[in-house]
Amino acid sequence: MRGIHQGDSVPQLFVGQLIGLHRRGLLPFERLVRFYEFSRINEAMDDLAQGRVIKPVLRMPGERGEDPSSV
């Protein structure tokens, strides 16, 4: 059995492939990632366990940035 988890790829090739898939509508990135304030960590982990999100991203207090899922 073999899987990929953060590092078993060649970024020079893989990133371009991901961008191509996204541009063709085959990689709905905005549906895979969801942002949570750190105070909602339990909700984030529950959503992950229940399959409601693939990649929960926790924001630390005071962190700013655009939320792609709200665009």
Side-chain angles (χ1 to χ4, degrees), residues 13-64:
L13 301 174
F14 190 57
V15 172
Q17 292 170 340
L18 292 177
I19 291 170
L21 289 171
H22 182 71
R23 286 182 176 162
R24 292 194 313 266
L26 300 174
L27 179 63
F29 179 76
E30 61 281 348
R31 293 179 52 205
L32 303 176
V33 175
R34 187 176 300 163
F35 292 83
Y36 298 84
E37 297 302 321
F38 188 76
S39 61
R40 295 173 53 209
I41 188 171
N42 291 332
E43 179 184 349
M45 295 302 103
D46 185 54
D47 285 353
L48 176 64
Q50 298 300 318
R52 291 186 286 261
V53 64
I54 300 297
K55 184 69 171 181
V57 177
L58 296 173
R59 287 199 172 131
M60 301 307 288
E63 184 177 350
R64 294 183 180 254

